[in-house]
Amino acid sequence: MLSPGLKALTIDLSGVSSCDAAGLAVLIGIQRRARARGITVRLAAPAPRVAELLRVTGLDRSLTICAALADALPARRRGRGAAASPQPAEAA
């Protein structure tokens, strides 16, 4: 997924109801490899339980988390001309 030329990777978490240490490790590894290649990673639409876990572990400070999938997608995919800044997800 982290191929040359890719600018951003959005990971849709809307179907993820919980996450363990292995899942967090995968997200951290993806972020680390993407950052080394200049790729922005956004997590989209985490369930309240997952958003809280990201907050408690401090990963919300190093990962870009968007409350909704539409907020995480590039502007052209959303049908708008100007890029919008992703908004942090609200923890439940």
Side-chain angles (χ1 to χ4, degrees):
M1 296 298 304
L2 302 176
S3 59
L6 184 68
K7 302 275 189 238
L9 173 65
T10 299
I11 301 172
D12 181 0
L13 296 178
S14 62
V16 178
S17 60
S18 65
C19 186
D20 62 8
L24 294 175
V26 168
L27 293 175
I28 292 166
I30 290 169
Q31 171 71 2
R32 193 172 292 143
R33 288 187 300 278
R35 188 174 285 155
R37 291 173 173 89
I39 299 169
T40 301
V41 175
R42 294 183 184 101
L43 304 181
R49 187 173 173 181
V50 175
E52 177 67 8
L53 179 62
L54 294 168
R55 188 192 66 74
V56 168
T57 58
L59 290 174
D60 64 333
R61 292 188 300 267
S62 62
L63 294 165
T64 300
I65 304 169
C66 301
L69 180 58
D71 297 334
L73 296 176
R76 71 176 189 273
R77 294 206 43 204
R78 286 183 276 154
R80 296 196 297 221
S85 298
Q87 299 299 314
E90 293 292 324

